[in-house]
Amino acid sequence: MVEHVVVIGAGVYGAAVAAALTRRGARVTVVDAGALAGGTSGATFSWVNSCGKRPRSYHDLNVAGMAAHRRLAADVPHGDWYHEGGNLEWAADDAGRAELRGKVAGVLDYGYDARWLSRAEALRLEPDMDPAGLPDDEIAYFPREGWIDPVRLIGHLLSSAVAGGAESVAHDGVTGLEVTAGMVRAVGLASGRRLLADAVVNCAGPQAAAIAELAGLVLPMRNTRGVLVSTSPAAVSPSRVIHSPHVHLRPDGGGRVLLHTHEIDGAARVSGTGEISVDPSAVGKVVEAGRALYPGLRAATVEGVRVGERPIPGDGLPVLGRVVALPNFHFAVSHSGATLSVHAGDLVAGEVLGEDHDEALAAFRFERPALAAR
Ligand SMILES: Cc1cc2nc3c(=O)[nH]c(=O)nc-3n(C[C@H](O)[C@H](O)[C@H](O)COP(=O)(O)OP(=O)(O)OC[C@H]3O[C@@H](n4cnc5c(N)ncnc54)[C@H](O)[C@@H]3O)c2cc1C
């Protein structure tokens, strides 16, 4: 019988799994090598969506993730992490417009909510945008999408886990897993502490492969780095996710705006000693693109530049649930974790405690041939 579960990692996944396990009555210890929420979940764009995600099973999992956020936010009277304002997206050239038309047609075909807006309609939603930055029409609007503040979400999930009896341990990384007779029996921490475990859930995000290795498993990952620029507070009001051709942005709490482009991701550099820096000129370009779209950002300065590592399993899809060869070892690892973790974490927690979620998790098993092939 599963009584004590060790959850490795306290990002969105670890927090969601820990909360879902304690809600079901398990005794949980959630351990993190660093600060709680100090991993990728503290450096993410955290757009909640299933906008163009394929195959169908992955799209459906993301849609279920969106619904889980909506339910959780509705259940917690003063929860302040979930913002369902929709997402606006448009393109700058013919190729981009054709691609966007294809994406909109694809999601509509899946029964997902998407509409086309004119410039005037988009400006009614986002009046602080410079009209010159928008096309006359073909602005895609995905009204059920949104964004989360992942650190606030993790805070809520971990505090409800702790209120349910869980222990949370920060700054004490997992250094070993004791495996005998095809089961994980104990988890060793850097401090020398040894936690006996009936089950273990690997929620170590970008470091999930290293944890898998401690259990004798090979988890192929192809992580990438992303760079996010947070402005100082400014009296300008983007109130949803925006994907314009030259900048992606969303509110970032307290009047701040979070800016991103795919180009800036390439500006992160890692030195020989492991220090990460970002080319200041790339930061300047993103800020200029933000100011061009929202002139009110001219008064804002750069308050922070965050670099996050996307935990991307080898074939791009999540790795969720139990391992056949090590039945009390479970994975909860994916990109799009801001969207997926509340729902997928709940499925994984249920499976740890013996619930049957085989149908929902079938496409995301560790044993799928496509994962090993990468
Ligand atoms: C730039 C960027 C943009 C993104 N945009 C989006 C988006 O728009 N929408 C979306 O849904 N997703 C997005 N993502 C992805 C999403 O943020 C991640 O999927 C999610 O945060 C992963 O959460 P996690 O809990 O798995 O990992 P993490 O938050 O990294 O948590 C893992 C934890 O494990 C801990 N750990 C590692 N090794 C050990 C060890 N040995 N012992 C104990 N603890 C350990 C780490 O310290 C860390 O705290 C983005 C990611 C990035 C980087």
Side-chain angles (χ1 to χ4, degrees):
M1 191 177 142
V2 174
E3 282 175 12
H4 181 221
V5 186
V6 177
V7 176
I8 303 173
V12 279
Y13 264 113
V17 169
L21 284 166
T22 44
R23 204 169 52 242
R24 287 169 168 87
R27 190 162 67 82
V28 174
T29 306
V30 51
V31 293
D32 201 293
L36 309 174
T40 305
S41 304
T44 167
F45 194 67
S46 55
W47 166 35
V48 173
N49 77 96
S50 187
C51 205
K53 296 187 183 178
R54 287 176 183 269
R56 181 71 202 235
S57 55
Y58 185 47
H59 170 84
D60 290 345
L61 190 75
N62 278 273
V63 169
M66 295 164 72
H69 272 300
R70 214 168 277 135
R71 275 196 308 276
L72 179 65
D75 281 354
V76 182
H78 303 293
D80 60 357
W81 58 85
Y82 178 65
H83 306 272
E84 187 176 318
N87 163 39
L88 291 171
E89 182 172 349
W90 64 94
D93 54 27
D94 288 346
R97 274 188 288 276
E99 198 181 317
L100 185 57
R101 273 184 227 123
K103 181 161 90 168
V104 169
V107 297
L108 286 172
D109 191 44
Y110 280 174
Y112 192 77
D113 207 344
R115 335 183 167 155
W116 290 110
L117 302 185
S118 66
R119 179 198 279 137
E121 288 168 322
L123 285 170
R124 273 201 285 280
L125 293 175
E126 286 295 320
D128 288 351
M129 287 195 295
D130 182 350
L134 294 166
D136 292 344
D137 52 22
E138 288 206 294
I139 299 167
Y141 178 44
F142 305 94
R144 304 310 303 275
E145 297 178 0
W147 63 279
I148 56 160
D149 179 335
V151 180
R152 302 288 297 166
L153 171 64
I154 291 168
H156 165 73
L157 292 169
L158 288 179
S159 84
S160 54
V162 169
E167 182 191 4
S168 93
V169 178
H171 302 290
D172 200 1
V174 172
T175 50
L177 297 175
E178 292 174 32
V179 179
T180 47
M183 301 281 272
V184 187
R185 310 287 171 176
V187 177
L189 303 185
S191 61
R193 200 174 157 193
R194 180 171 174 263
L195 302 167
L196 294 176
D198 300 307
V200 170
V201 189
N202 180 353
C203 300
Q207 281 82 45
I211 297 296
E213 205 180 325
L214 296 176
L217 302 168
V218 177
L219 174 66
M221 297 285 284
R222 52 173 173 93
N223 301 344
T224 61
R225 285 205 174 76
V227 179
L228 297 156
V229 178
S230 189
T231 70
S232 60
V236 61
S237 66
S239 51
R240 51 188 44 78
V241 178
I242 306 288
H243 284 89
S244 82
H246 304 299
V247 65
H248 308 158
L249 60 85
R250 64 157 173 83
D252 197 25
R256 296 171 184 83
V257 175
L258 192 69
L259 306 162
H260 176 252
T261 60
H262 290 305
E263 293 71 42
I264 197 180
D265 289 348
R269 297 271 171 272
V270 186
S271 74
T273 55
E275 269 168 49
I276 298 178
S277 61
V278 179
D279 174 4
S281 69
V283 174
K285 269 190 204 155
V286 176
V287 173
E288 272 321 303
R291 287 176 177 153
L293 187 59
Y294 281 86
L297 281 177
R298 281 193 192 119
T301 56
V302 173
E303 196 173 83
V305 178
R306 282 174 261 166
V307 180
E309 189 173 350
R310 301 179 180 91
I312 310 183
D315 61 357
L317 295 177
V319 180
L320 301 171
R322 49 126 185 85
V323 172
V324 172
L326 200 57
N328 70 339
F329 186 83
H330 305 256
F331 283 105
V333 180
S334 78
H335 183 39
S336 288
T339 304
L340 292 170
S341 52
V342 172
H343 173 64
D346 189 59
L347 293 174
V348 170
E351 188 170 80
V352 169
L353 300 180
E355 293 169 20
D356 180 0
H357 293 296
D358 224 23
E359 200 180 326
L361 294 174
F364 310 109
R365 294 292 185 193
F366 172 68
E367 292 80 15
R368 63 184 183 261
L371 180 63
R374 304 296 158 136

